Amino acid sequence: MSQIDQALHDSYIAEQQVIGALGINHEAINLIQADLKPEMFSNAILGEVYSIIIESIEDGEDFDLVSISRDVKARRDFIAEDVDAEITEAFRSSVYSTAIEKHAETVRKCYAIRLLHKEFLRMNNDGADPLEIFGELTDKLYGVTEKTKSCESD
């Protein structure tokens, strides 16, 4: 399995865990909402579920499997059986809210990997030098500044 495939798999499992934890403890949203955005989800259905959960909590509304499923189907053109299967599996994958931050971090890291992979493909298609690609992607991943690079080379 390639690193990208592994990142997608890890992200999917973590996404299910995040949704499941929010199903158990709505207050857990306070631990992750500032750093975890719906577009970071690799699974479009789970990203939409997360968006609906955020809106429901912000509006002071309760939610359950049925209401979330209904709302996701109303918003997007997903296959109904796929929506029901994803939501059911996510709620089965429930974790305690103490672990939600770890799973949210996994989703964010996997999102970063997917973005870097897209950037690599773009740069590679543009004919960039492989060392240049590696350097730019390393800078983006680790936030290495020019000052730090010059200090390391001394």
Side-chain angles (χ1 to χ4, degrees), residues 19-91:
I19 299 300
L22 292 173
I24 292 173
N25 179 0
H26 300 353
E27 298 298 318
I29 193 71
N30 297 324
L31 300 171
I32 63 171
Q33 185 178 5
D35 296 321
L36 186 65
K37 306 299 177 204
E39 62 270 12
M40 293 179 172
F41 283 67
S42 63
N43 182 289
I45 292 172
L46 294 177
E48 195 67 36
V49 168
Y50 182 68
S51 178
I52 289 169
I53 288 174
I54 289 171
E55 291 169 15
S56 296
I57 291 171
E58 287 176 347
D59 294 343
E61 299 173 2
D62 200 16
F63 60 86
D64 58 24
L65 288 169
V66 174
S67 65
I68 290 175
S69 176
R70 179 194 62 234
D71 292 348
V72 170
K73 291 173 193 171
R75 284 190 187 186
R76 300 273 302 267
D77 191 27
F78 293 121
I79 298 171
E81 292 81 16
D82 292 346
V83 171
D84 293 338
E86 290 292 348
I87 293 172
T88 301
E89 189 59 35
F91 277 82

Side-chain angles (χ1 to χ4, degrees), residues 109-127:
K109 286 179 180 177
C110 292
Y111 176 69
I113 290 169
R114 290 192 318 271
L115 290 179
L116 288 172
H117 183 249
K118 285 181 185 177
E119 183 68 10
F120 169 80
L121 293 176
R122 184 194 62 76
M123 292 173 74
N124 194 36
N125 287 337
D126 290 347

Side-chain angles (χ1 to χ4, degrees), residues 74-153:
R75 284 190 187 186
R76 300 273 302 267
D77 191 27
F78 293 121
I79 298 171
E81 292 81 16
D82 292 346
V83 171
D84 293 338
E86 290 292 348
I87 293 172
T88 301
E89 189 59 35
F91 277 82
R92 273 194 201 133
S93 302
S94 301
V95 294
Y96 296 104
S97 60
T98 55
I100 194 170
E101 290 174 289
K102 179 183 117 197
H103 295 297
E105 180 64 21
T106 299
V107 173
R108 286 191 299 272
K109 286 179 180 177
C110 292
Y111 176 69
I113 290 169
R114 290 192 318 271
L115 290 179
L116 288 172
H117 183 249
K118 285 181 185 177
E119 183 68 10
F120 169 80
L121 293 176
R122 184 194 62 76
M123 292 173 74
N124 194 36
N125 287 337
D126 290 347
D129 175 56
L131 289 176
E132 179 185 328
I133 293 172
F134 178 77
E136 285 189 36
L137 294 181
T138 300
D139 289 353
K140 287 181 182 184
L141 182 61
Y142 295 107
V144 177
T145 64
E146 289 301 314
K147 182 178 180 182
T148 305
K149 279 196 249 177
S150 66
C151 291
E152 290 174 347
S153 62

Side-chain angles (χ1 to χ4, degrees), residues 10-29:
D10 293 348
S11 184
Y12 177 67
I13 298 300
E15 291 165 14
Q16 287 181 322
Q17 297 292 322
V18 166
I19 299 300
L22 292 173
I24 292 173
N25 179 0
H26 300 353
E27 298 298 318
I29 193 71

